[in-house]
Amino acid sequence: MADVTTAQDVVTYRESVAEGIAREMRRDPTVVCLGEDIGAAGGVFKTTVGLFDEFGPERVWDTPISEQAIVGAAMGAAMTGMRPVAEIMFSDFLACCWDYLANEIPKVRYMTGGQVTVPLVIRTANGGGLGFGAQHSQSVENWALTVPGLKIAAPSTPADVVGLMASAVRSDDPVVFFEHKGLFASKGAPAPDGHVVPFGEAAVLRQGTDVTLVALASTVPMALTAADRLAAEGVEAEVLDLRCLIPLDVTAVLRSVERTSRLVVVEENPYQGGWGATVVSVVADEGFELLDAPVKRVAGANVPLPFADALEDQVIPTVDKVVDTVRSLATY
């Protein structure tokens, strides 16, 4: 009998955010949530729907419109035995609480000689492609990447949202959890019961022999679509979803490049200082002899992101840009 797919076989990325948090709140009574409009309203992106109804105001806290208050309160709660999951509505607004995120939270464990940990998660909606403009569209994983002491997760599928959320909440170190706005409506298989994705384990989503496409979050489905188009031209691309930036699965990247001998990194960060530059530098240091062609990066342009869709498409990665870049390497 042929398999029959039903609505229950798929869930959205946004639903999986709430599900991942709920699973951890059921498992551990010290887990609490805080942020703007995350309670009865269910979050501005509807990523916390149902949490307030299930856990109540004692564990789901609506906050004032103050990123410093949200992250500062989360830091204090984490230092005194709780495991807060704090939401910063747009990742652009991490700049408003950057002292806590860069100078306070990641330093506590080291400066106390391990006597005090800060087990918190800062969730935030990240990235462009939706015409939200220059102050609400940035992809800022590279900001956090510059700060020693932070872990960084950026899932691309509903199941990985749940699995990485489990690892994030259970971590004794602070985690910045980037949820891409452009993926919220995307659908995929639901996470199985007890699903945990360990940090620092990239996933090979498509095997290939001609070129490695390293991607993260929204650029993962982009890379997969590009790989399908390239396959029609006889070019077999391997697609690697990093899933995390810290810890970074360097081994998976090098193993893939060993198979394909070519590397293209697809990132939404600006080309100047993007996370892809770190990946490329590691490959140059540790895997230069594996390469048969120059390494290429498909990245965002170094400009403020425009509102207009036609203009925004010019300055962020697209499938066409990935395909054109790979074609330039295929005959090198």
Side-chain angles (χ1 to χ4, degrees):
M1 181 181 293
D3 290 338
V4 177
T5 300
T6 67
Q8 287 73 35
D9 294 323
V10 296
V11 294
T12 65
Y13 188 104
R14 82 172 77 245
E15 290 169 340
S16 296
V17 175
E19 175 64 17
I21 298 170
R23 290 187 185 189
E24 291 307 298
M25 294 183 76
R26 295 174 193 134
R27 186 189 64 85
D28 184 349
T30 68
V31 179
V32 296
C33 294
L34 66 159
E36 300 168 21
D37 296 324
I38 68 164
V44 69
F45 294 108
K46 301 303 178 186
T47 50
T48 57
V49 170
L51 297 182
F52 188 81
D53 291 339
E54 180 172 352
F55 300 104
E58 295 81 13
R59 296 180 66 191
V60 180
W61 310 336
D62 274 324
T63 67
I65 303 174
S66 171
E67 288 76 19
Q68 286 181 307
I70 294 167
V71 177
M75 177 182 177
M79 292 174 68
T80 53
M82 306 182 88
R83 289 186 177 268
V85 179
E87 178 182 301
I88 299 299
M89 190 181 294
F90 288 84
S91 62
D92 316 65
F93 302 164
L94 291 175
C96 299
C97 53
W98 194 245
D99 180 56
Y100 281 118
L101 193 61
N103 206 35
E104 303 292 344
I105 289 169
K107 309 293 194 290
V108 169
R109 188 170 189 175
Y110 174 76
M111 293 178 67
T112 64
Q115 296 178 81
V116 179
T117 57
V118 190
L120 65 80
V121 180
I122 297 177
R123 305 174 35 245
T124 189
N126 189 50
L130 299 175
F132 282 9
Q135 295 175 318
H136 296 76
S137 300
Q138 296 173 93
S139 185
V140 302
E141 302 98 333
N142 57 328
W143 293 5
L145 189 61
T146 66
V147 181
L150 296 175
K151 294 180 179 178
I152 304 170
S156 68
T157 67
D160 276 359
V161 168
V162 173
L164 288 170
M165 184 67 73
S167 288
V169 173
R170 300 176 197 187
S171 171
D172 286 333
D173 294 306
V175 178
V176 186
F177 198 93
F178 290 100
E179 301 158 9
H180 200 285
K181 297 189 290 292
L183 295 177
F184 281 144
S186 64
K187 296 179 180 180
D193 292 342
H195 186 52
V196 179
V197 175
F199 278 4
E201 292 189 8
V204 177
L205 301 186
R206 190 185 195 283
Q207 294 185 329
T209 55
D210 297 319
V211 63
T212 295
L213 302 179
V214 173
L216 184 75
S218 69
T219 64
V220 172
M222 184 185 303
L224 288 169
T225 301
D228 288 341
R229 283 176 48 179
L230 289 162
E233 303 175 11
V235 177
E236 293 298 330
E238 182 154 297
V239 177
L240 186 69
D241 180 359
L242 288 179
R243 302 201 282 198
C244 294
L245 292 179
I246 299 295
L248 179 64
D249 192 353
V250 174
T251 300
V253 175
L254 291 172
R255 285 175 177 168
S256 182
V257 173
E258 186 176 20
R259 290 189 291 270
T260 68
S261 75
R262 289 171 172 80
L263 173 63
V264 175
V265 178
V266 189
E267 59 182 312
E268 200 175 318
N269 283 170
Y271 187 91
Q272 181 173 299
W275 62 258
T278 297
V279 173
V280 168
S281 69
V282 171
V283 172
D285 285 344
E286 302 184 24
F288 183 77
E289 294 181 350
L290 303 174
L291 294 166
D292 286 343
V295 175
K296 295 292 185 180
R297 291 171 59 204
V298 179
N302 300 315
V303 298
L305 290 171
F307 273 112
D309 293 346
L311 293 178
E312 191 176 30
D313 285 344
Q314 295 297 312
V315 299
I316 61 175
T318 63
V319 172
D320 287 342
K321 293 175 186 177
V322 176
V323 170
D324 289 344
T325 300
V326 172
R327 284 173 179 157
S328 72
L329 289 182
T331 57
Y332 183 86

